[in-house]
Amino acid sequence: LSFGVERMSLSVNELTALLGYLSSENVENATLEVLASQFHRRFDRSQHFTFGLSLTLLLQQKDLLPLSAQRVAAIFLLYELYRSDPSPFALFFVELLQPAQIDGRMNQGFLCGHNLSVAEKYFLYQLLSGTAPRELLKKTPSNISCSEPSQPFPDLAPLVSSLQDMSSSVPSRNKSGCSCIIADPDPFSMSRPDTSAAGQVIETLLCRQNLDNSVFEPGFIRPLPPLHSPENEVIWLNPTGTQCAIKWDSQMCLTGSSEACKLFAKACREVLTLQEQDTLFTQFSADPKLVHQVGLTPLKLPNLVEKNPSVAIETLLRMTNSTQISEYFATLVNMDMSLHSMEVVNRLTTAIDIPPEFLHLYINNCFQRCRESTDKSLQSRLVRLVCVFLQSLIRNKTISVQDEFVQIQAFCIEFNKIREANALFRLLKALETGGGPGDAGNTPASK
């Protein structure tokens, strides 16, 4: 399936939201009705086609959505995009309803292709034929994937014919395309796919390339005109006996120091030793461009911050001139509040000029996280961290107290039983009366 559309791809935030809807936890607990509500509340109609292309790409490769419940959720969202209108993905539904081509990899047990189970195919049939009962929307994708059809499997020919008629206006050239994404499982490993590797592949496919370029279409046939062959003219020569063999370049796409790339990939998974950190920082200093080649992406930043905050700080400081720095700031704002994330933000504010709107959003996120915590012990710990963090920003004159005064004061009063909140309140009062940060008195915060 291919349509002539403008350049399109998902942003990191959109991909994170889409994978959240298809996560194992969400498909286990959220009903189809809730799933549709979550999606329509987040994204408007102008984004539907881009998300539809993304879902077709995920459904074409079984190892990207290994769970049956995930595929049920993806099928439902793809149908829901154009539930009340003619779907531009009608031909793809035909492809799903028909058996996938079986190759040797499937026979060996590899997850490749899109061969749906009976439950998945029956669910798709119910949606497309309009025979789905109302109570079906009250079920979760996990329930549907485990259920067996309540009646003999119907004849698919009439439904397939109607879907093909619906796509009769699509040019034949567009309908003859084949996917450029080919599964290539490791022949020496029979274990299940690595979920972290699948996440990297999904990010590369949906965020770093045009989704409309994921289909290879046949070109128009333009045969060469026959050559006139009188005497004294050039003769067209067709070389014969030439054999071409594909040579794989093992160094392709590898740039920078391989040791630095390996250390950085390890830093995103586990805590580095001091010696490993020094080695990485030394290579960064020796080659300033290396920091752009080690493979950092906004999706990897939260793990790097939690495992190795010092590496995250050093990397971000060296990427301040990058065009992606605003995306990394946005990731810091939206990640879960922790001691390490505050340490990274605090160090960044003392080293470079952070946009005021970024700090404002981060402070609001910290306040909201404290208020939403239901565990009193955890809540007290988070409030203490936030108060110490804000005192550091105020004493270093990193933020404008006048701009944040009202919400910080309200936060201190709300948690006035915590010592650090009272200390922050006294600091605010000292600044309000014209004193310096060291003139904070003993006035407690009170409601």
Side-chain angles (χ1 to χ4, degrees):
L1 176 64
S2 174
F3 287 85
V5 294
E6 299 177 358
R7 175 182 174 86
M8 58 182 64
S9 59
L10 297 184
S11 68
V12 173
N13 290 337
E14 290 170 344
L15 175 61
T16 302
L18 178 61
L19 295 182
Y21 301 146
L22 301 179
S23 66
S24 57
E25 180 180 356
N26 198 56
V27 299
E28 183 75 26
N29 300 315
T31 64
L32 297 180
E33 201 171 40
V34 172
L35 191 63
S37 176
Q38 289 174 341
F39 184 86
H40 289 303
R41 193 183 315 118
R42 177 72 184 272
F43 304 108
D44 56 38
R45 189 174 182 80
S46 63
Q47 299 171 284
H48 283 188
F49 189 72
T50 303
F51 277 96
L53 288 177
S54 303
L55 290 169
T56 59
L57 193 148
L58 294 177
L59 284 167
Q60 283 173 333
Q61 304 299 331
K62 207 167 188 178
D63 53 348
L64 299 184
L65 293 177
L67 300 181
S68 177
Q70 291 177 313
R71 295 192 291 275
V72 168
I75 290 170
F76 174 71
L77 286 179
L78 186 60
Y79 166 79
E80 181 68 18
L81 294 176
Y82 296 93
R83 177 166 49 87
S84 56
D85 299 309
S87 175
F89 302 102
L91 289 177
F92 181 71
F93 288 138
V94 172
E95 183 182 339
L96 291 180
L97 288 172
Q98 295 174 341
Q101 293 183 352
I102 305 297
D103 60 22
R105 297 170 300 174
M106 285 188 180
N107 292 331
Q108 296 172 18
F110 290 117
L111 287 176
C112 57
H114 62 270
N115 201 17
L116 300 184
S117 67
V118 175
E120 295 163 8
K121 193 174 293 187
Y122 185 69
F123 171 67
L124 177 58
Y125 170 81
Q126 287 182 302
L127 294 178
L128 297 176
S129 63
T131 59
R134 281 192 174 183
E135 56 269 18
L136 188 66
L137 296 180
K138 305 294 183 182
K139 295 183 178 181
T140 65
S142 179
N143 297 144
I144 295 173
S145 64
C146 297
S147 61
E148 295 293 333
S150 57
Q151 53 188 357
F153 204 86
D155 182 15
L156 297 178
L159 177 60
V160 169
S161 177
S162 66
L163 291 174
Q164 291 173 337
D165 292 341
M166 186 186 303
S167 304
S168 59
S169 60
V170 179
S172 299
R173 178 171 176 269
N174 296 94
K175 293 190 288 187
S176 301
C178 62
S179 176
C180 289
I181 314 301
I182 301 175
D184 186 21
D186 185 357
F188 301 105
S189 173
M190 295 301 293
S191 59
R192 297 195 63 81
D194 183 356
T195 55
S196 62
Q200 295 176 5
V201 171
I202 291 174
E203 181 186 357
T204 301
L205 294 179
L206 302 187
C207 295
R208 301 187 187 179
Q209 69 169 12
N210 292 343
L211 292 174
D212 51 330
N213 287 340
S214 61
V215 174
F216 178 78
E217 297 176 350
F220 289 109
I221 299 177
R222 299 180 178 89
L224 293 173
L227 291 179
H228 184 60
S229 58
E231 295 182 359
N232 302 324
E233 287 200 12
V234 177
I235 300 176
W236 185 271
L237 298 178
N238 293 311
T240 59
T242 303
Q243 295 183 349
C244 299
I246 297 176
K247 298 293 185 182
W248 182 260
D249 183 4
S250 60
Q251 300 300 317
M252 184 172 58
C253 300
L254 292 180
T255 57
S257 170
S258 58
E259 183 182 6
C261 294
K262 291 178 181 178
L263 281 176
F264 195 85
K266 183 179 179 181
C268 295
R269 300 190 307 268
E270 57 188 76
V271 179
L272 297 182
T273 64
L274 290 178
Q275 183 179 0
E276 289 173 330
Q277 291 184 22
D278 291 340
T279 302
L280 186 59
F281 295 160
T282 301
Q283 297 201 21
F284 281 169
S285 301
D287 184 3
K289 295 182 180 180
L290 184 59
V291 72
H292 302 283
Q293 302 169 356
V294 292
L296 178 64
T297 65
L299 281 179
K300 295 179 182 177
L301 183 59
N303 285 340
L304 181 63
V305 169
E306 294 303 326
K307 301 293 184 183
N308 295 277
S310 58
V311 176
I313 294 168
E314 185 71 18
T315 305
L316 291 176
L317 288 177
R318 294 179 180 275
M319 297 185 69
T320 51
N321 296 326
S322 170
T323 56
Q324 279 190 304
I325 193 64
S326 58
E327 293 187 36
Y328 294 120
F329 285 160
T331 302
L332 280 175
V333 167
N334 294 315
M335 69 179 291
D336 289 340
M337 187 186 75
S338 66
L339 176 60
H340 286 169
S341 69
M342 287 187 178
E343 178 186 351
V344 172
V345 174
N346 194 27
R347 286 282 301 279
L348 289 177
T349 57
T350 58
I352 59 176
D353 292 331
I354 300 293
E357 59 273 14
F358 160 72
L359 279 177
H360 178 75
L361 289 174
Y362 185 76
I363 292 172
N364 283 343
N365 183 42
C366 291
F367 287 167
Q368 183 178 359
R369 179 72 177 87
C370 291
R371 293 187 175 109
E372 289 178 351
S373 177
T374 56
D375 187 335
K376 293 299 182 181
S377 176
L378 175 60
Q379 185 183 57
S380 298
R381 180 173 177 270
L382 293 177
V383 171
R384 288 196 295 271
L385 285 174
V386 172
C387 291
V388 173
F389 172 68
L390 289 175
Q391 288 184 59
S392 175
L393 294 182
I394 293 173
R395 295 182 190 279
N396 293 329
K397 298 182 179 180
T398 305
I399 61 173
S400 173
V401 178
Q402 289 78 9
D403 295 340
E404 310 289 344
F405 183 86
V406 174
Q407 60 174 346
I408 295 178
Q409 179 178 252
F411 180 78
C412 293
I413 293 174
E414 183 176 354
F415 297 102
N416 63 344
K417 295 182 179 181
I418 298 176
R419 182 178 58 186
E420 286 79 3
N422 281 311
L424 177 59
F425 184 82
R426 290 194 296 270
L427 178 59
L428 290 178
K429 287 302 180 182
L431 294 174
E432 184 182 24
T433 57
D439 298 334
N442 296 320
T443 304
S446 60
K447 296 184 179 180

